[in-house]
Amino acid sequence: MSQWMFRDELQLMEINVPRAALQLARTLAYPELNVAEYMSRLHELSEEGADAIDHTLSITAQVEKLSEFLFSTLGFRGNRANYPDPLNSFLNEVIDRRTGIPITLSILYIDIATRLGLPAYGIGLPGHFIVGIRAKEDDIWVDPFHDGRILHLSDCVDLIRLSTGYEGPLEAIWFQPASAKSILARMLGNLRASYVGSGAWSRAVTVIQLLRQVQPNETEHLRDLGFVYYHQGNLPQAAHYLNSYLQQDPNAGDAQVIREGIKNILDEWVPMN
């Protein structure tokens, strides 16, 4: 049923990202998770934080106070010790354990900031998700993974380089507010990487199917399903999804390699029947 609730969330005009993230967690790993209870806990955190925010201060000072409350007072932190752990991608676990990765900590930060009247939004930099706060002059950039520090442009350059190795020019589009669906897709992409990296193929299949709900026009999800089913040993499904990928994107950069791969898959499958 939770998978249907997640699908229903995607149909709303305004997607509530924390609620959708909690529904994802319930779909993938926590069937008994009480979404309403965790939403109430976010509300309680914002009520606690209200005492730390003086709205007569500048926006920058308010942001600094919020970061101090979340990361010094409450002890939220980036999980540097075990970054790939899939628990870092489940918002309920982030709330419980007070540790996570950039995108989940950013979701929490944005939700609390918004409840406290700070106009926060997500920024999907390559390799590292951060938070933007609208201000009268220049917007403020915040890194929840590194204790909510305020970032300058040079800091963003360093984050991208350290995360991806990219050393080219910055693209203005990277700093645009991330849509709700792009945030959910990025969360799912992290989980896909975690499960594929650990060989948890069944969980990876579920994650990619959810990605197809969020991004129905992205053909790469068909390809990824084919690869995962192949590693799972399900050769008919692997051939089906890889063939669907080629039909929808015949000129893909990896098309020829996959065409050759499908032949190999079929060669393995036929003797088994």
Side-chain angles (χ1 to χ4, degrees):
M1 181 177 293
S2 57
Q3 192 161 349
W4 284 104
M5 292 184 69
F6 175 66
R7 185 176 300 175
D8 290 344
E9 185 74 41
L10 295 180
Q11 305 306 315
L12 298 177
M13 291 293 291
E14 265 192 61
I15 297 172
N16 184 302
V17 173
R19 185 172 62 219
L22 290 165
Q23 288 172 353
L24 275 180
R26 183 163 64 178
T27 297
L28 292 169
Y30 306 90
E32 304 302 320
L33 189 147
N34 188 327
V35 172
E37 177 185 331
Y38 277 91
M39 292 299 293
S40 294
R41 288 177 64 178
L42 287 172
H43 176 69
E44 290 166 6
L45 289 177
S46 70
E47 288 193 323
E48 289 179 45
D51 294 333
I53 305 296
D54 181 352
H55 290 289
T56 64
L57 299 174
S58 68
I59 293 292
T60 300
Q62 291 180 53
V63 169
E64 290 172 339
K65 289 293 185 182
L66 176 57
S67 292
E68 181 182 350
F69 168 70
L70 287 174
F71 302 105
S72 295
T73 304
L74 295 184
F76 283 96
R77 67 194 186 284
N79 191 343
R80 299 174 183 83
N82 194 5
Y83 194 99
D85 187 346
L87 297 183
N88 294 323
S89 292
F90 294 127
L91 187 57
N92 57 308
E93 289 286 356
V94 173
I95 294 170
D96 287 342
R97 303 189 308 153
R98 305 205 169 181
T99 188
I101 53 176
I103 192 164
T104 43
L105 289 170
S106 292
I107 290 171
L108 180 137
Y109 195 103
I110 292 166
D111 186 72
I112 303 299
T114 302
R115 291 173 187 267
L116 294 176
L118 291 170
Y121 58 93
I123 299 175
L125 295 181
H128 198 95
F129 203 92
I130 63 173
V131 172
I133 310 285
R134 296 201 180 281
K136 288 183 180 178
E137 307 267 332
D138 294 326
D139 284 7
I140 301 165
W141 300 325
V142 180
D143 183 3
F145 186 75
H146 293 104
D147 303 325
R149 65 171 177 147
I150 291 178
L151 301 170
H152 301 288
L153 190 62
S154 60
D155 299 316
C156 295
V157 170
D158 289 341
L159 285 173
I160 294 169
R161 179 177 52 80
L162 289 171
S163 299
T164 68
Y166 176 81
E167 295 186 354
L170 294 178
E171 301 285 345
I173 195 170
W174 293 344
F175 293 86
Q176 294 300 309
S179 69
K181 286 189 176 182
S182 71
I183 293 173
L184 295 173
R186 190 150 172 166
M187 285 184 66
L188 286 164
N190 289 332
L191 280 167
R192 174 184 57 194
S194 293
Y195 290 142
V196 168
S198 64
W201 305 118
S202 294
R203 287 181 180 268
V205 165
T206 304
V207 167
I208 299 169
Q209 293 288 19
L210 290 172
L211 268 166
R212 292 184 67 202
Q213 291 184 30
V214 178
Q215 298 176 313
N217 297 321
E218 293 291 334
T219 57
E220 68 180 39
H221 303 321
L222 296 170
R223 177 200 62 198
D224 292 349
L225 274 174
F227 289 154
V228 170
Y229 275 123
Y230 177 78
H231 284 290
Q232 201 176 25
N234 190 333
L235 301 185
Q237 286 286 71
H240 166 75
Y241 280 107
L242 290 174
N243 188 55
S244 296
Y245 170 65
L246 293 175
Q247 287 180 347
Q248 294 194 30
D249 195 359
N251 298 316
D254 53 6
Q256 187 56 39
V257 173
I258 291 176
R259 286 189 184 97
E260 295 170 0
I262 288 179
K263 181 181 183 305
N264 294 334
I265 290 172
L266 291 174
D267 287 345
E268 289 182 52
W269 175 36
V270 171
M272 292 171 58
N273 290 327

